[in-house]
Amino acid sequence: MTNPEAQQQARQSVSDAEPQAESHDRSQEEAQAAERLERAVRAAEQALIEFEIAVETFRVEVENFSRLHHQRLGPMYSRLDELDALIAEAVAARTGDPEDIRKAREARGLVQPMPGVEELFHGWIDSDGLSPEAAAMLTERPVQPPPRVRPSEEARRIYRELARKAHPDLAEEEAERERRGAFIVRVNAAYAAGDEEALRVLAEEWEAGPPPPERRASPSEELYARLEWLAERKEMLAAVAAELESSAIGAMIKMAPEDPDRLLDEIAEQLLAQAAEKEARLAELAR
């Protein structure tokens, strides 16, 4: 005959074991999910590294090919520009037409580009006009010193109060010392400018106390954030790659990826042919 008390104890043991089993199952599922997420992050990191290597390799190829293109073909392009200017000037001299004269000036400007305003004046002038130093040199007047700032009594009071409260020497920990030091730098800047309102704002900020520490993200949240960053990074690299491929030099490399030097030879032949045509045209105009 079964003991009723033993049956009750057995049922109670089963009942107590069920939540523990469910909790164990949930823990196992969470651990497996975290493991899958971590593997996904590692795979994404490796893929991004390979993509970065490919983009950087292509960038270096574009840079090197651009340098070779400029060294080898640059003089040819300059010669073509010079011939265009000479032809335009010869036409303008023959016709005397104002429009031909304008075109000749434009063509010559391409051969001898005017330096920028800032380059001409070595930084004395910019979009805002002459600098004070440049104006003083041109007008033979001394440069006027900036007006002296005289903080108000209230600004001085707030400054002294903040300096006493927030002085870095009052801190016992290094992190707090650094925070106070950075704060005092801002206080000094506001006081030097005589900015009473800025000092008031700083006083309110100090009274409010340091910002609360940020909540530490869970391992899963950190992994998800890492995945998001990896995706954003890949998008940025994809944009860089697209820009490189769409550039003139990038397009040239794509046309002959195995032998870009051959492409340079072909372009050089075309430029030589164009130069020969322009020289013949110039010879005709000189007759």
Side-chain angles (χ1 to χ4, degrees), residues 55-73 244 247 249-250 252-253 260-261 264:
V55 173
E56 180 62 13
T57 300
F58 187 60
R59 187 195 66 78
V60 171
E61 288 179 0
V62 169
E63 185 176 302
N64 290 337
F65 189 77
S66 177
R67 188 177 296 110
L68 288 173
H69 181 273
H70 177 73
Q71 290 174 350
R72 182 169 179 184
L73 304 183
L244 288 170
S247 66
I249 298 298
M252 288 182 186
I253 294 176
D261 290 340
L264 284 179

Side-chain angles (χ1 to χ4, degrees), residues 31-269:
Q32 291 171 355
E35 187 178 349
R36 288 195 298 271
L37 182 58
E38 189 169 356
R39 286 200 301 268
V41 169
R42 301 296 170 256
E45 287 175 341
Q46 191 61 39
L48 182 64
I49 290 172
E50 297 298 327
F51 190 42
E52 285 189 1
I53 292 172
V55 173
E56 180 62 13
T57 300
F58 187 60
R59 187 195 66 78
V60 171
E61 288 179 0
V62 169
E63 185 176 302
N64 290 337
F65 189 77
S66 177
R67 188 177 296 110
L68 288 173
H69 181 273
H70 177 73
Q71 290 174 350
R72 182 169 179 184
L73 304 183
M76 295 185 181
Y77 286 120
S78 297
R79 176 59 179 164
L80 289 174
D81 289 341
E82 176 67 24
L83 288 170
D84 285 336
L86 290 173
I87 290 171
E89 288 166 352
V91 170
R94 176 173 291 188
T95 65
D97 186 276
E99 181 63 16
D100 290 337
I101 295 174
R102 183 189 65 79
K103 290 179 180 179
R105 287 175 179 167
E106 286 185 356
R108 178 54 62 187
L110 293 175
V111 180
Q112 299 175 344
M114 288 292 292
V117 172
E118 292 187 10
E119 185 179 349
L120 273 174
F121 289 93
H122 303 286
W124 293 355
I125 189 171
D126 54 22
S127 57
D128 296 327
L130 285 172
S131 67
E133 290 78 7
M137 290 180 69
L138 293 175
T139 58
E140 297 183 354
R141 290 182 301 180
V143 178
Q144 295 296 321
R148 179 174 296 179
V149 175
R150 297 186 180 277
S152 65
E153 285 296 329
E154 181 64 11
R156 282 198 283 270
R157 183 191 68 78
I158 299 173
Y159 170 74
R160 287 194 294 267
E161 186 175 340
L162 284 174
R164 293 191 187 102
K165 289 181 177 179
H167 200 283
D169 288 347
L170 298 175
E172 296 180 359
E173 298 180 356
E174 185 60 29
E176 176 64 11
R177 181 186 298 274
E178 291 179 1
R179 184 181 80 88
R180 287 170 172 262
F183 183 79
I184 286 295
V185 167
R186 295 164 59 199
V187 170
N188 289 339
Y191 183 67
D195 194 336
E196 183 179 323
E197 181 58 30
L199 287 169
R200 290 184 187 279
V201 172
L202 287 167
E204 293 174 1
E205 180 182 328
W206 182 259
E207 291 302 323
E214 296 183 359
R215 184 183 70 85
R216 184 175 178 81
S218 68
S220 295
E221 289 172 333
E222 290 180 352
L223 289 171
Y224 276 117
R226 179 66 173 166
L227 274 179
E228 290 179 358
W229 181 87
L230 290 168
E232 292 173 359
R233 175 73 176 169
K234 187 173 183 181
E235 287 182 7
M236 185 272 290
L237 288 172
V240 171
E243 185 176 353
L244 288 170
E245 291 177 354
S246 63
S247 66
I249 298 298
M252 288 182 186
I253 294 176
K254 286 292 184 182
M255 290 171 60
E258 302 299 329
D259 189 11
D261 290 340
R262 177 180 58 80
L263 185 60
L264 284 179
D265 293 337
E266 294 177 359
I267 297 174
E269 291 177 3

